[in-house]
Short mmCIF file of all heavy atoms in Angstrom, two decimals:
data_model
loop_
_atom_site.label_atom_id
_atom_site.label_comp_id
_atom_site.label_asym_id
_atom_site.label_seq_id
_atom_site.Cartn_x
_atom_site.Cartn_y
_atom_site.Cartn_z
N MET A 1 60.77 -25.43 -13.70
CA MET A 1 62.20 -25.59 -13.69
C MET A 1 62.69 -26.14 -15.02
O MET A 1 63.57 -25.56 -15.64
CB MET A 1 62.61 -26.51 -12.55
CG MET A 1 64.08 -26.80 -12.52
SD MET A 1 64.59 -27.87 -11.18
CE MET A 1 63.96 -26.99 -9.78
N VAL A 2 62.14 -27.25 -15.48
CA VAL A 2 62.61 -27.80 -16.75
C VAL A 2 62.14 -26.98 -17.93
O VAL A 2 62.61 -27.19 -19.05
CB VAL A 2 62.21 -29.28 -16.92
CG1 VAL A 2 62.92 -30.16 -15.91
CG2 VAL A 2 60.73 -29.47 -16.86
N ASN A 3 61.26 -26.02 -17.69
CA ASN A 3 60.85 -25.13 -18.77
C ASN A 3 62.03 -24.35 -19.33
O ASN A 3 62.03 -23.94 -20.49
CB ASN A 3 59.78 -24.14 -18.29
CG ASN A 3 58.49 -24.84 -17.91
OD1 ASN A 3 58.20 -25.93 -18.38
ND2 ASN A 3 57.74 -24.22 -17.04
N ASP A 4 63.05 -24.13 -18.51
CA ASP A 4 64.24 -23.39 -18.94
C ASP A 4 65.21 -24.25 -19.74
O ASP A 4 66.22 -23.74 -20.22
CB ASP A 4 64.99 -22.85 -17.71
CG ASP A 4 64.18 -21.79 -16.99
OD1 ASP A 4 63.34 -21.13 -17.63
OD2 ASP A 4 64.38 -21.64 -15.77
N TYR A 5 64.93 -25.53 -19.89
CA TYR A 5 65.87 -26.44 -20.53
C TYR A 5 66.25 -25.98 -21.93
O TYR A 5 67.40 -26.05 -22.33
CB TYR A 5 65.27 -27.86 -20.57
CG TYR A 5 66.23 -28.91 -21.04
CD1 TYR A 5 67.21 -29.41 -20.17
CD2 TYR A 5 66.18 -29.42 -22.32
CE1 TYR A 5 68.10 -30.38 -20.58
CE2 TYR A 5 67.08 -30.39 -22.74
CZ TYR A 5 68.02 -30.87 -21.87
OH TYR A 5 68.92 -31.83 -22.29
N PHE A 6 65.27 -25.53 -22.69
CA PHE A 6 65.53 -25.13 -24.07
C PHE A 6 65.70 -23.61 -24.23
O PHE A 6 65.80 -23.11 -25.35
CB PHE A 6 64.42 -25.63 -25.00
CG PHE A 6 64.40 -27.13 -25.09
CD1 PHE A 6 63.42 -27.87 -24.43
CD2 PHE A 6 65.37 -27.81 -25.81
CE1 PHE A 6 63.42 -29.26 -24.51
CE2 PHE A 6 65.37 -29.19 -25.89
CZ PHE A 6 64.38 -29.92 -25.24
N ALA A 7 65.77 -22.89 -23.11
CA ALA A 7 65.98 -21.44 -23.15
C ALA A 7 67.43 -21.14 -23.54
O ALA A 7 68.31 -22.00 -23.44
CB ALA A 7 65.67 -20.84 -21.79
N LEU A 8 67.65 -19.93 -23.97
CA LEU A 8 69.02 -19.51 -24.27
C LEU A 8 69.84 -19.52 -22.99
O LEU A 8 69.38 -19.06 -21.94
CB LEU A 8 69.02 -18.11 -24.87
CG LEU A 8 68.41 -17.96 -26.26
CD1 LEU A 8 68.37 -16.49 -26.66
CD2 LEU A 8 69.22 -18.77 -27.27
N PRO A 9 71.06 -20.04 -23.07
CA PRO A 9 71.90 -20.08 -21.86
C PRO A 9 72.41 -18.69 -21.50
O PRO A 9 72.53 -17.83 -22.38
CB PRO A 9 73.04 -21.00 -22.26
CG PRO A 9 73.11 -20.92 -23.74
CD PRO A 9 71.70 -20.67 -24.21
N PRO A 10 72.73 -18.49 -20.23
CA PRO A 10 73.34 -17.22 -19.83
C PRO A 10 74.69 -17.04 -20.52
O PRO A 10 75.32 -18.02 -20.95
CB PRO A 10 73.53 -17.37 -18.32
CG PRO A 10 72.61 -18.48 -17.91
CD PRO A 10 72.49 -19.37 -19.10
N ALA A 11 75.14 -15.82 -20.60
CA ALA A 11 76.43 -15.52 -21.24
C ALA A 11 77.55 -16.31 -20.57
O ALA A 11 77.59 -16.42 -19.34
CB ALA A 11 76.71 -14.03 -21.17
N GLY A 12 78.43 -16.86 -21.37
CA GLY A 12 79.57 -17.58 -20.85
C GLY A 12 79.32 -19.05 -20.57
O GLY A 12 80.21 -19.75 -20.11
N ILE A 13 78.12 -19.50 -20.80
CA ILE A 13 77.77 -20.91 -20.56
C ILE A 13 77.32 -21.51 -21.89
O ILE A 13 76.50 -20.93 -22.60
CB ILE A 13 76.65 -21.03 -19.51
CG1 ILE A 13 77.14 -20.50 -18.18
CG2 ILE A 13 76.18 -22.48 -19.37
CD1 ILE A 13 76.10 -20.53 -17.08
N THR A 14 77.85 -22.69 -22.20
CA THR A 14 77.47 -23.36 -23.45
C THR A 14 76.05 -23.92 -23.31
O THR A 14 75.57 -24.15 -22.19
CB THR A 14 78.42 -24.51 -23.79
OG1 THR A 14 78.27 -25.55 -22.81
CG2 THR A 14 79.86 -24.05 -23.86
N PRO A 15 75.38 -24.14 -24.44
CA PRO A 15 74.05 -24.76 -24.37
C PRO A 15 74.06 -26.10 -23.64
O PRO A 15 73.14 -26.41 -22.88
CB PRO A 15 73.65 -24.92 -25.84
CG PRO A 15 74.40 -23.84 -26.55
CD PRO A 15 75.72 -23.75 -25.82
N GLU A 16 75.11 -26.88 -23.85
CA GLU A 16 75.20 -28.19 -23.19
C GLU A 16 75.34 -28.03 -21.67
O GLU A 16 74.71 -28.76 -20.91
CB GLU A 16 76.38 -28.99 -23.74
CG GLU A 16 76.22 -29.42 -25.18
CD GLU A 16 76.49 -28.30 -26.19
OE1 GLU A 16 77.15 -27.29 -25.83
OE2 GLU A 16 76.04 -28.42 -27.33
N GLN A 17 76.16 -27.07 -21.24
CA GLN A 17 76.32 -26.82 -19.81
C GLN A 17 75.00 -26.35 -19.20
O GLN A 17 74.64 -26.75 -18.09
CB GLN A 17 77.41 -25.78 -19.56
CG GLN A 17 78.80 -26.24 -19.86
CD GLN A 17 79.81 -25.10 -19.82
OE1 GLN A 17 79.51 -23.97 -20.20
NE2 GLN A 17 81.02 -25.41 -19.38
N HIS A 18 74.31 -25.49 -19.92
CA HIS A 18 73.03 -24.97 -19.44
C HIS A 18 72.02 -26.10 -19.28
O HIS A 18 71.36 -26.21 -18.24
CB HIS A 18 72.51 -23.91 -20.40
CG HIS A 18 71.13 -23.45 -20.08
ND1 HIS A 18 70.83 -22.67 -18.98
CD2 HIS A 18 69.95 -23.65 -20.72
CE1 HIS A 18 69.54 -22.43 -18.95
NE2 HIS A 18 68.98 -23.01 -19.99
N LYS A 19 71.92 -26.94 -20.30
CA LYS A 19 70.96 -28.06 -20.23
C LYS A 19 71.30 -28.99 -19.09
O LYS A 19 70.41 -29.46 -18.36
CB LYS A 19 70.95 -28.81 -21.56
CG LYS A 19 70.26 -28.05 -22.67
CD LYS A 19 70.28 -28.84 -23.96
CE LYS A 19 69.52 -28.12 -25.05
NZ LYS A 19 69.49 -28.89 -26.30
N ARG A 20 72.58 -29.27 -18.89
CA ARG A 20 72.97 -30.16 -17.81
C ARG A 20 72.65 -29.53 -16.46
O ARG A 20 72.17 -30.20 -15.54
CB ARG A 20 74.47 -30.49 -17.89
CG ARG A 20 74.91 -31.52 -16.88
CD ARG A 20 74.21 -32.83 -17.10
NE ARG A 20 74.68 -33.85 -16.16
CZ ARG A 20 74.23 -35.07 -16.14
NH1 ARG A 20 73.31 -35.45 -17.00
NH2 ARG A 20 74.68 -35.93 -15.27
N SER A 21 72.89 -28.25 -16.33
CA SER A 21 72.60 -27.53 -15.10
C SER A 21 71.11 -27.61 -14.76
O SER A 21 70.73 -27.85 -13.60
CB SER A 21 73.04 -26.08 -15.23
OG SER A 21 72.66 -25.34 -14.10
N VAL A 22 70.27 -27.43 -15.75
CA VAL A 22 68.82 -27.50 -15.54
C VAL A 22 68.42 -28.93 -15.14
O VAL A 22 67.63 -29.13 -14.21
CB VAL A 22 68.04 -27.03 -16.79
CG1 VAL A 22 66.56 -27.32 -16.67
CG2 VAL A 22 68.28 -25.54 -17.03
N ALA A 23 68.99 -29.92 -15.82
CA ALA A 23 68.66 -31.32 -15.51
C ALA A 23 69.12 -31.70 -14.09
O ALA A 23 68.39 -32.37 -13.36
CB ALA A 23 69.29 -32.25 -16.54
N VAL A 24 70.31 -31.26 -13.71
CA VAL A 24 70.80 -31.55 -12.36
C VAL A 24 69.94 -30.85 -11.31
O VAL A 24 69.60 -31.44 -10.28
CB VAL A 24 72.29 -31.18 -12.22
CG1 VAL A 24 72.74 -31.24 -10.76
CG2 VAL A 24 73.15 -32.10 -13.08
N ALA A 25 69.55 -29.62 -11.57
CA ALA A 25 68.67 -28.91 -10.62
C ALA A 25 67.34 -29.64 -10.46
O ALA A 25 66.83 -29.76 -9.34
CB ALA A 25 68.44 -27.47 -11.09
N ALA A 26 66.80 -30.14 -11.56
CA ALA A 26 65.55 -30.89 -11.49
C ALA A 26 65.75 -32.19 -10.71
O ALA A 26 64.91 -32.58 -9.89
CB ALA A 26 65.02 -31.18 -12.89
N ALA A 27 66.87 -32.87 -10.95
CA ALA A 27 67.17 -34.11 -10.23
C ALA A 27 67.31 -33.84 -8.73
O ALA A 27 66.81 -34.61 -7.91
CB ALA A 27 68.43 -34.75 -10.79
N LEU A 28 67.97 -32.75 -8.39
CA LEU A 28 68.13 -32.40 -6.98
C LEU A 28 66.79 -32.06 -6.33
O LEU A 28 66.55 -32.40 -5.17
CB LEU A 28 69.11 -31.24 -6.82
CG LEU A 28 70.57 -31.59 -7.10
CD1 LEU A 28 71.41 -30.32 -7.12
CD2 LEU A 28 71.10 -32.57 -6.08
N ALA A 29 65.89 -31.43 -7.09
CA ALA A 29 64.56 -31.12 -6.55
C ALA A 29 63.78 -32.40 -6.28
O ALA A 29 63.12 -32.53 -5.24
CB ALA A 29 63.80 -30.21 -7.52
N VAL A 30 63.88 -33.36 -7.19
CA VAL A 30 63.21 -34.66 -6.98
C VAL A 30 63.82 -35.35 -5.77
O VAL A 30 63.09 -35.88 -4.91
CB VAL A 30 63.34 -35.54 -8.25
CG1 VAL A 30 62.90 -36.97 -7.97
CG2 VAL A 30 62.54 -34.94 -9.40
N ALA A 31 65.14 -35.35 -5.68
CA ALA A 31 65.82 -35.99 -4.56
C ALA A 31 65.44 -35.34 -3.24
O ALA A 31 65.21 -36.03 -2.24
CB ALA A 31 67.33 -35.93 -4.77
N LYS A 32 65.37 -34.02 -3.23
CA LYS A 32 65.01 -33.30 -2.00
C LYS A 32 63.63 -33.71 -1.52
O LYS A 32 63.42 -33.97 -0.33
CB LYS A 32 65.05 -31.80 -2.26
CG LYS A 32 64.65 -30.96 -1.07
CD LYS A 32 64.67 -29.49 -1.42
CE LYS A 32 64.10 -28.65 -0.29
NZ LYS A 32 64.00 -27.24 -0.66
N GLU A 33 62.69 -33.80 -2.44
CA GLU A 33 61.34 -34.22 -2.05
C GLU A 33 61.32 -35.65 -1.56
O GLU A 33 60.62 -35.98 -0.62
CB GLU A 33 60.38 -34.04 -3.24
CG GLU A 33 60.11 -32.60 -3.59
CD GLU A 33 59.51 -31.81 -2.44
OE1 GLU A 33 58.59 -32.31 -1.75
OE2 GLU A 33 59.96 -30.67 -2.21
N SER A 34 62.11 -36.49 -2.20
CA SER A 34 62.17 -37.89 -1.79
C SER A 34 62.74 -38.04 -0.40
O SER A 34 62.21 -38.76 0.44
CB SER A 34 63.02 -38.68 -2.80
OG SER A 34 63.20 -39.99 -2.36
N VAL A 35 63.84 -37.35 -0.13
CA VAL A 35 64.49 -37.45 1.18
C VAL A 35 63.64 -36.84 2.27
O VAL A 35 63.59 -37.34 3.39
CB VAL A 35 65.88 -36.78 1.13
CG1 VAL A 35 66.49 -36.65 2.51
CG2 VAL A 35 66.81 -37.58 0.21
N SER A 36 62.92 -35.77 1.95
CA SER A 36 62.14 -35.08 2.98
C SER A 36 60.76 -35.70 3.19
O SER A 36 60.04 -35.27 4.09
CB SER A 36 62.00 -33.60 2.64
OG SER A 36 61.20 -33.43 1.48
N ALA A 37 60.39 -36.69 2.39
CA ALA A 37 59.08 -37.34 2.56
C ALA A 37 59.01 -37.93 3.96
O ALA A 37 59.93 -38.60 4.42
CB ALA A 37 58.88 -38.42 1.50
N SER A 38 57.90 -37.68 4.63
CA SER A 38 57.79 -38.15 6.01
C SER A 38 57.51 -39.65 6.04
O SER A 38 56.75 -40.18 5.24
CB SER A 38 56.67 -37.40 6.73
OG SER A 38 55.42 -37.68 6.14
N THR A 39 58.19 -40.31 6.96
CA THR A 39 57.97 -41.73 7.21
C THR A 39 58.08 -41.95 8.70
O THR A 39 58.45 -41.06 9.45
CB THR A 39 59.03 -42.61 6.50
OG1 THR A 39 60.29 -42.35 7.10
CG2 THR A 39 59.09 -42.34 5.01
N GLY A 40 57.82 -43.14 9.12
CA GLY A 40 57.95 -43.49 10.53
C GLY A 40 59.37 -43.86 10.90
O GLY A 40 59.65 -44.16 12.05
N ALA A 41 60.28 -43.85 9.92
CA ALA A 41 61.66 -44.27 10.18
C ALA A 41 62.43 -43.20 10.94
O ALA A 41 62.05 -42.04 10.97
CB ALA A 41 62.35 -44.57 8.86
N THR A 42 63.54 -43.61 11.48
CA THR A 42 64.39 -42.69 12.25
C THR A 42 65.40 -42.02 11.33
O THR A 42 65.34 -42.13 10.12
CB THR A 42 65.14 -43.47 13.34
OG1 THR A 42 65.99 -44.42 12.70
CG2 THR A 42 64.18 -44.15 14.29
N GLY A 43 66.38 -41.34 11.93
CA GLY A 43 67.40 -40.63 11.19
C GLY A 43 68.21 -41.52 10.26
O GLY A 43 68.81 -41.05 9.31
N SER A 44 68.25 -42.81 10.52
CA SER A 44 69.02 -43.71 9.66
C SER A 44 68.44 -43.73 8.25
O SER A 44 69.16 -43.91 7.28
CB SER A 44 69.06 -45.12 10.24
OG SER A 44 67.76 -45.67 10.31
N LYS A 45 67.13 -43.54 8.14
CA LYS A 45 66.51 -43.50 6.81
C LYS A 45 67.01 -42.28 6.05
O LYS A 45 67.34 -42.37 4.87
CB LYS A 45 65.00 -43.46 6.89
CG LYS A 45 64.35 -43.39 5.50
CD LYS A 45 62.88 -43.03 5.56
CE LYS A 45 62.24 -42.93 4.20
NZ LYS A 45 62.86 -41.99 3.28
N ALA A 46 67.10 -41.15 6.71
CA ALA A 46 67.59 -39.93 6.05
C ALA A 46 69.02 -40.13 5.58
O ALA A 46 69.38 -39.75 4.46
CB ALA A 46 67.48 -38.73 6.98
N ALA A 47 69.86 -40.74 6.41
CA ALA A 47 71.25 -40.98 6.02
C ALA A 47 71.31 -41.91 4.82
O ALA A 47 72.07 -41.68 3.87
CB ALA A 47 72.03 -41.56 7.19
N TRP A 48 70.49 -42.96 4.85
CA TRP A 48 70.45 -43.89 3.72
C TRP A 48 69.95 -43.19 2.47
O TRP A 48 70.50 -43.37 1.38
CB TRP A 48 69.56 -45.09 4.05
CG TRP A 48 69.62 -46.14 2.98
CD1 TRP A 48 70.50 -47.18 2.92
CD2 TRP A 48 68.77 -46.23 1.83
NE1 TRP A 48 70.24 -47.91 1.78
CE2 TRP A 48 69.20 -47.36 1.10
CE3 TRP A 48 67.70 -45.48 1.35
CZ2 TRP A 48 68.58 -47.75 -0.08
CZ3 TRP A 48 67.10 -45.87 0.16
CH2 TRP A 48 67.54 -46.99 -0.54
N ASP A 49 68.89 -42.39 2.60
CA ASP A 49 68.35 -41.66 1.45
C ASP A 49 69.39 -40.72 0.86
O ASP A 49 69.52 -40.62 -0.36
CB ASP A 49 67.12 -40.85 1.86
CG ASP A 49 65.87 -41.69 2.03
OD1 ASP A 49 65.89 -42.87 1.63
OD2 ASP A 49 64.88 -41.16 2.57
N LEU A 50 70.11 -40.01 1.70
CA LEU A 50 71.13 -39.09 1.21
C LEU A 50 72.24 -39.83 0.47
O LEU A 50 72.73 -39.36 -0.55
CB LEU A 50 71.70 -38.26 2.35
CG LEU A 50 70.75 -37.21 2.92
CD1 LEU A 50 71.36 -36.58 4.17
CD2 LEU A 50 70.44 -36.15 1.89
N GLN A 51 72.63 -40.98 0.98
CA GLN A 51 73.65 -41.78 0.30
C GLN A 51 73.14 -42.27 -1.04
O GLN A 51 73.86 -42.23 -2.05
CB GLN A 51 74.08 -42.97 1.17
CG GLN A 51 75.20 -43.78 0.58
CD GLN A 51 76.47 -42.98 0.42
OE1 GLN A 51 76.87 -42.24 1.31
NE2 GLN A 51 77.12 -43.11 -0.71
N ALA A 52 71.89 -42.71 -1.08
CA ALA A 52 71.30 -43.16 -2.34
C ALA A 52 71.24 -42.02 -3.35
O ALA A 52 71.53 -42.21 -4.53
CB ALA A 52 69.90 -43.74 -2.08
N VAL A 53 70.87 -40.83 -2.88
CA VAL A 53 70.82 -39.66 -3.76
C VAL A 53 72.21 -39.36 -4.31
O VAL A 53 72.39 -39.13 -5.50
CB VAL A 53 70.25 -38.43 -3.00
CG1 VAL A 53 70.52 -37.15 -3.75
CG2 VAL A 53 68.76 -38.62 -2.77
N ALA A 54 73.20 -39.37 -3.45
CA ALA A 54 74.57 -39.08 -3.88
C ALA A 54 75.03 -40.07 -4.94
O ALA A 54 75.72 -39.70 -5.89
CB ALA A 54 75.52 -39.10 -2.68
N ASN A 55 74.63 -41.32 -4.80
CA ASN A 55 75.05 -42.35 -5.75
C ASN A 55 74.29 -42.29 -7.06
O ASN A 55 74.78 -42.78 -8.08
CB ASN A 55 74.87 -43.74 -5.14
CG ASN A 55 75.84 -44.00 -4.02
OD1 ASN A 55 76.90 -43.40 -3.94
ND2 ASN A 55 75.48 -44.90 -3.12
N GLU A 56 73.10 -41.73 -7.07
CA GLU A 56 72.24 -41.82 -8.25
C GLU A 56 71.87 -40.49 -8.89
O GLU A 56 71.17 -40.47 -9.88
CB GLU A 56 70.96 -42.58 -7.90
CG GLU A 56 71.19 -44.03 -7.51
CD GLU A 56 71.82 -44.85 -8.64
OE1 GLU A 56 71.54 -44.57 -9.83
OE2 GLU A 56 72.60 -45.76 -8.32
N ILE A 57 72.33 -39.36 -8.37
CA ILE A 57 71.90 -38.07 -8.89
C ILE A 57 72.29 -37.89 -10.36
O ILE A 57 71.51 -37.36 -11.15
CB ILE A 57 72.41 -36.90 -8.00
CG1 ILE A 57 71.57 -35.66 -8.23
CG2 ILE A 57 73.87 -36.62 -8.22
CD1 ILE A 57 70.20 -35.75 -7.67
N ALA A 58 73.47 -38.37 -10.74
CA ALA A 58 73.90 -38.25 -12.14
C ALA A 58 73.00 -39.08 -13.05
O ALA A 58 72.62 -38.63 -14.14
CB ALA A 58 75.35 -38.68 -12.29
N ASN A 59 72.63 -40.28 -12.59
CA ASN A 59 71.74 -41.12 -13.39
C ASN A 59 70.36 -40.49 -13.55
O ASN A 59 69.75 -40.56 -14.62
CB ASN A 59 71.60 -42.51 -12.77
CG ASN A 59 72.88 -43.31 -12.85
OD1 ASN A 59 73.69 -43.10 -13.74
ND2 ASN A 59 73.07 -44.22 -11.92
N LEU A 60 69.87 -39.88 -12.48
CA LEU A 60 68.57 -39.21 -12.55
C LEU A 60 68.64 -38.01 -13.49
O LEU A 60 67.74 -37.81 -14.30
CB LEU A 60 68.12 -38.78 -11.15
CG LEU A 60 66.76 -38.10 -11.05
CD1 LEU A 60 65.65 -38.93 -11.69
CD2 LEU A 60 66.44 -37.80 -9.60
N ALA A 61 69.72 -37.24 -13.41
CA ALA A 61 69.88 -36.10 -14.33
C ALA A 61 69.97 -36.59 -15.77
O ALA A 61 69.38 -35.98 -16.68
CB ALA A 61 71.12 -35.29 -13.96
N ASP A 62 70.68 -37.69 -16.01
CA ASP A 62 70.75 -38.27 -17.36
C ASP A 62 69.36 -38.65 -17.85
O ASP A 62 69.01 -38.39 -19.01
CB ASP A 62 71.63 -39.52 -17.36
CG ASP A 62 73.10 -39.23 -17.17
OD1 ASP A 62 73.53 -38.06 -17.33
OD2 ASP A 62 73.85 -40.19 -16.85
N ALA A 63 68.58 -39.28 -16.99
CA ALA A 63 67.23 -39.70 -17.38
C ALA A 63 66.35 -38.49 -17.69
O ALA A 63 65.56 -38.52 -18.65
CB ALA A 63 66.60 -40.54 -16.26
N ILE A 64 66.47 -37.44 -16.91
CA ILE A 64 65.69 -36.22 -17.17
C ILE A 64 66.09 -35.63 -18.52
O ILE A 64 65.24 -35.28 -19.34
CB ILE A 64 65.87 -35.21 -16.03
CG1 ILE A 64 65.17 -35.72 -14.76
CG2 ILE A 64 65.33 -33.83 -16.43
CD1 ILE A 64 65.50 -34.95 -13.51
N GLN A 65 67.41 -35.55 -18.78
CA GLN A 65 67.86 -35.02 -20.07
C GLN A 65 67.39 -35.90 -21.22
O GLN A 65 66.93 -35.38 -22.24
CB GLN A 65 69.39 -34.92 -20.11
CG GLN A 65 69.90 -33.66 -19.47
CD GLN A 65 71.37 -33.44 -19.77
OE1 GLN A 65 72.21 -34.02 -19.09
NE2 GLN A 65 71.66 -32.62 -20.75
N ASP A 66 67.47 -37.20 -21.07
CA ASP A 66 67.01 -38.11 -22.13
C ASP A 66 65.53 -37.90 -22.42
O ASP A 66 65.11 -37.87 -23.57
CB ASP A 66 67.26 -39.57 -21.73
CG ASP A 66 68.73 -39.94 -21.73
OD1 ASP A 66 69.55 -39.18 -22.29
OD2 ASP A 66 69.06 -41.01 -21.16
N ALA A 67 64.74 -37.76 -21.37
CA ALA A 67 63.30 -37.55 -21.55
C ALA A 67 63.02 -36.22 -22.24
O ALA A 67 62.19 -36.15 -23.15
CB ALA A 67 62.59 -37.61 -20.20
N LEU A 68 63.71 -35.18 -21.83
CA LEU A 68 63.48 -33.87 -22.44
C LEU A 68 63.94 -33.85 -23.89
O LEU A 68 63.27 -33.28 -24.76
CB LEU A 68 64.19 -32.78 -21.65
CG LEU A 68 63.59 -32.49 -20.28
CD1 LEU A 68 64.50 -31.59 -19.48
CD2 LEU A 68 62.21 -31.88 -20.40
N GLU A 69 65.07 -34.48 -24.17
CA GLU A 69 65.58 -34.51 -25.55
C GLU A 69 64.66 -35.34 -26.44
O GLU A 69 64.41 -34.96 -27.59
CB GLU A 69 67.00 -35.06 -25.59
CG GLU A 69 68.03 -34.14 -24.96
CD GLU A 69 68.22 -32.83 -25.71
OE1 GLU A 69 68.00 -32.76 -26.92
OE2 GLU A 69 68.58 -31.84 -25.04
N SER A 70 64.14 -36.45 -25.94
CA SER A 70 63.27 -37.28 -26.78
C SER A 70 61.95 -36.56 -27.02
O SER A 70 61.36 -36.69 -28.10
CB SER A 70 63.03 -38.64 -26.15
OG SER A 70 62.30 -38.54 -24.95
N ASP A 71 61.47 -35.78 -26.05
CA ASP A 71 60.25 -34.99 -26.25
C ASP A 71 60.45 -33.91 -27.31
O ASP A 71 59.52 -33.58 -28.04
CB ASP A 71 59.80 -34.33 -24.94
CG ASP A 71 59.11 -35.30 -24.01
OD1 ASP A 71 58.83 -36.44 -24.43
OD2 ASP A 71 58.86 -34.93 -22.85
N SER A 72 61.65 -33.36 -27.41
CA SER A 72 61.89 -32.29 -28.36
C SER A 72 61.98 -32.81 -29.79
O SER A 72 61.83 -32.05 -30.74
CB SER A 72 63.18 -31.53 -28.01
OG SER A 72 64.32 -32.32 -28.31
N GLU A 73 62.20 -34.11 -29.96
CA GLU A 73 62.31 -34.71 -31.28
C GLU A 73 60.95 -35.06 -31.86
O GLU A 73 60.85 -35.39 -33.02
CB GLU A 73 63.20 -35.94 -31.21
CG GLU A 73 64.63 -35.60 -30.84
CD GLU A 73 65.47 -36.83 -30.55
OE1 GLU A 73 64.96 -37.95 -30.72
OE2 GLU A 73 66.63 -36.65 -30.16
N VAL A 74 59.92 -35.02 -31.07
CA VAL A 74 58.57 -35.38 -31.53
C VAL A 74 57.94 -34.25 -32.28
O VAL A 74 58.12 -33.12 -32.12
CB VAL A 74 57.69 -35.80 -30.32
CG1 VAL A 74 56.28 -36.07 -30.78
CG2 VAL A 74 58.29 -37.00 -29.64
#
């Protein structure tokens, strides 16, 4: 998924929009795995996890972009 980060963006999309889209998709994939991880908790855990994801998805996408950008500078 993040392999597409530095690929040419589709027509009509800026490179910045493309990079953000890839980072958000990666963040959502991480969040999906986190929320779907099996535990002994009830449905309240899923609701809490979803709320936490909603509150932090932008921060996670920012962190993914920061990591990818810093790797490209090496």
Side-chain angles (χ1 to χ4, degrees):
M1 176 180 305
V2 294
N3 294 336
D4 294 334
Y5 188 78
F6 294 105
L8 292 175
I13 296 178
T14 67
E16 293 78 19
Q17 290 170 325
H18 172 70
K19 287 180 176 182
R20 186 62 178 180
S21 175
V22 171
V24 169
L28 289 171
V30 169
K32 178 182 173 185
E33 291 301 316
S34 174
V35 170
S36 67
S38 64
T39 66
T42 63
S44 63
K45 179 193 179 303
W48 186 89
D49 284 348
L50 289 172
Q51 184 62 44
V53 165
N55 291 336
E56 296 298 328
I57 201 71
N59 291 333
L60 181 54
D62 290 344
I64 290 169
Q65 277 192 277
D66 290 346
L68 290 170
E69 291 294 332
S70 67
D71 283 351
S72 72
E73 295 171 4
V74 175

